[in-house]
Amino acid sequence: MWYGLGLTGAGLEHEAGVAERAGVVLERPEHGPGVAAATVRRVCALAKLREYRTDPLLAAAATRRRTRSVIPIAFVQWPESGPRRNYRPFVAEARRRGMRVDLVLRDKRSDPTLVEQLRSSGYRAVILAVNADRGLEDLDWSGLTMVAIGIGSPDSPYPRVALDVSAAMRLAHSRLQAEGYRRIGIACPQDNLDEERSWRLRAAALALATDIPALITGASNRSNFLAWLHEHQPDAVLGTSPGIAAWLPPGIASAWLDCDPQRHHRLRGVEMSMLSEIVFDHLEDALRQGRVGLPKTPYTILTSPRWFHGALANRSGTVSS
């Protein structure tokens, strides 16, 4: 594989001719890895024989691409914000874009030294995990590009990216209905469920007008979940936490919010990795434009849901062992 040298002359057709004679494929720089030294020498020798010259501006740009430093980003999370694995999709997305994400765990809500520690560690951008933003509103975030994950309180000062829970529930519910399920129960026995997210989940569940009352509670309790199943007898469960999928008895179909393609091979539902894509789209745009600190007008970007079907998921959506 070879990437264009930016040869002066008639343009890409001349580069293509050199590449063909060298037995390599011509591609643009942003679409692949580096080039072997032997390939570089072979192509440059052929280009010299044909009296082509390297465009100095494009050559300089290629050098900058090869030597570009990795942008360090801090993923700030408190232990009660969720399991550490929640940041794995962000690590994968960062690598894909030539960035680096480090997990920064804090053991207390209010820490006036947090921002200074992040700056002194060389971080240029910060991702605040779900619920990790509270108690930090008065800190001076100047000099850092930042974004918070999840829906916050109405007075939250941060730029935010969040899953559109209502749209995600509608998508999952419609998929289950299309397969013939009619008694669809919505279950969210989730630890550390904050008041704002609880309210939005309840509103989204009410909008679907299901016959079964939704189970939305701030405690991940297996016995309560099984009691709810026994009382209402759903033929399918729309769950907000894939972690409880193992609690489902055989024969009950399911769809889940926050599915991770790296872990949930046996499940189906709304993919959570798209959230990391939008977060990094936002960060790259902000870094390019030099936007740092808190915005004058806070805003939230809602991501559209995307359906995920694990490679090992049963066609009916029942959880296999």
Side-chain angles (χ1 to χ4, degrees), residues 94-158:
R95 287 174 180 166
R96 192 177 72 82
R97 300 182 185 229
M99 298 180 175
R100 186 189 84 229
V101 167
D102 299 327
L103 179 63
V104 178
L105 281 177
R106 308 298 303 178
D107 57 1
K108 52 187 177 181
R109 283 287 182 195
S110 180
D111 186 352
T113 66
L114 173 62
V115 175
E116 187 53 42
Q117 289 180 31
L118 294 173
R119 288 198 194 100
S120 63
S121 298
Y123 293 111
R124 291 182 53 192
V126 179
I127 300 172
L128 295 176
V130 175
N131 297 333
D133 55 303
R134 298 184 179 182
L136 304 177
E137 293 85 352
D138 296 330
L139 298 186
D140 178 13
W141 291 97
S142 60
L144 289 172
T145 297
M146 62 180 305
V147 63
I149 300 173
I151 296 291
S153 60
D155 58 349
S156 171
Y158 307 103

Side-chain angles (χ1 to χ4, degrees), residues 1-2 5 18-25 35-49:
M1 186 173 295
W2 173 255
L5 284 170
V18 173
E20 183 180 358
R21 287 173 173 77
V24 295
V25 177
V35 182
T39 304
V40 173
R41 289 193 295 270
R42 187 165 74 252
V43 172
C44 288
L46 284 168
K48 185 176 180 180
L49 286 174

Side-chain angles (χ1 to χ4, degrees), residues 69-219:
S69 59
V70 175
I71 298 175
I73 299 171
F75 187 95
V76 178
Q77 178 172 307
W78 274 260
E80 65 267 28
S81 297
R84 296 189 184 191
R85 64 174 177 267
N86 285 351
Y87 90 106
R88 289 176 184 168
F90 295 88
V91 173
E93 187 64 23
R95 287 174 180 166
R96 192 177 72 82
R97 300 182 185 229
M99 298 180 175
R100 186 189 84 229
V101 167
D102 299 327
L103 179 63
V104 178
L105 281 177
R106 308 298 303 178
D107 57 1
K108 52 187 177 181
R109 283 287 182 195
S110 180
D111 186 352
T113 66
L114 173 62
V115 175
E116 187 53 42
Q117 289 180 31
L118 294 173
R119 288 198 194 100
S120 63
S121 298
Y123 293 111
R124 291 182 53 192
V126 179
I127 300 172
L128 295 176
V130 175
N131 297 333
D133 55 303
R134 298 184 179 182
L136 304 177
E137 293 85 352
D138 296 330
L139 298 186
D140 178 13
W141 291 97
S142 60
L144 289 172
T145 297
M146 62 180 305
V147 63
I149 300 173
I151 296 291
S153 60
D155 58 349
S156 171
Y158 307 103
R160 314 185 73 91
V161 174
L163 175 67
D164 189 334
V165 174
S166 294
M169 277 197 180
R170 288 195 302 271
L171 173 62
H173 190 266
S174 65
R175 290 272 183 161
L176 291 172
Q177 280 190 322
E179 295 177 10
Y181 298 104
R182 291 297 176 262
R183 291 189 56 76
I184 301 171
I186 298 172
C188 181
Q190 183 176 327
D191 290 331
N192 304 306
L193 183 64
D194 64 90
E195 183 178 347
E196 183 70 23
R197 179 169 171 80
S198 175
W199 180 87
R200 291 181 179 276
L201 286 170
R202 292 180 188 278
L206 286 172
L208 293 175
T210 58
D211 295 332
I212 299 176
L215 174 67
I216 299 177
T217 173

